[in-house]
Amino acid sequence: MSLRDAIAKQHDAAEKHPLTAVMMAGDLTPQAYADLLANQMIVYQAIEAKASFFGIDKGLLGYERAQLMADDLLELSEMLGGLEIQASKATAEQRAHIDGLDLDGVIANIYVNHMADMYGGQILKDKLPRSEEHTSELQSQSTNSYAVFCLKKK
């Protein structure tokens, strides 16, 4: 069975999720984006901490996302006059899963998350509430860090 076939049900459900429709329409509010970004940041913090634990963070120039997300959240906080964000149950479960990963699992998570950054980020970059300067900076860093990651794996 191919990977595509194995995850077809989850992929279809994700495409039909109401949040996906809102994001693709460019109707995500700054607060909703902040909530989403804060939860993603928690996941990236966990991945980056595990990468550091295994010592694989050295030489993966630009793979870090948590600080970039924190920078975006600061910008959104200023835009909204403050933020109140709470981690979702799914985020807490994902963090617990990452905390239990072995080295191969951490590498796989870095790879998968970078692919999502590159592909999803390209689709959504013009639809998210952030400054043009921030968008181009993140786009550049996502592309560069993925290229570096691929080179390091060879």
Side-chain angles (χ1 to χ4, degrees), residues 82-103:
L83 292 175
E84 285 188 38
I85 298 168
Q86 184 175 2
S88 71
K89 179 181 177 190
T91 297
E93 290 170 355
Q94 180 65 11
R95 177 162 188 127
H97 170 76
I98 292 165
D99 288 346
L101 291 175
D102 63 7
L103 176 61

Side-chain angles (χ1 to χ4, degrees), residues 32-42 69 72-73 76 130:
Y33 177 53
D35 292 339
L36 176 65
L37 191 61
N39 280 274
Q40 286 182 320
M41 185 179 72
I42 292 167
M69 292 175 179
D72 274 4
L73 285 168
L76 286 165
R130 67 164 57 140

Side-chain angles (χ1 to χ4, degrees), residues 2 9 11 15 23 42 87 94 105 114 129 151 154:
S2 72
K9 182 178 176 182
H11 182 267
E15 281 191 336
M23 288 191 320
I42 292 167
Q94 180 65 11
H114 277 262
L151 289 172
K154 289 186 178 195

Side-chain angles (χ1 to χ4, degrees), residues 57-76:
D57 56 327
K58 316 252 186 303
L60 289 178
L61 182 64
Y63 89 100
E64 301 95 346
R65 292 284 175 272
Q67 186 57 53
L68 296 172
M69 292 175 179
D71 294 344
D72 274 4
L73 285 168
L74 180 60
E75 183 179 326
L76 286 165

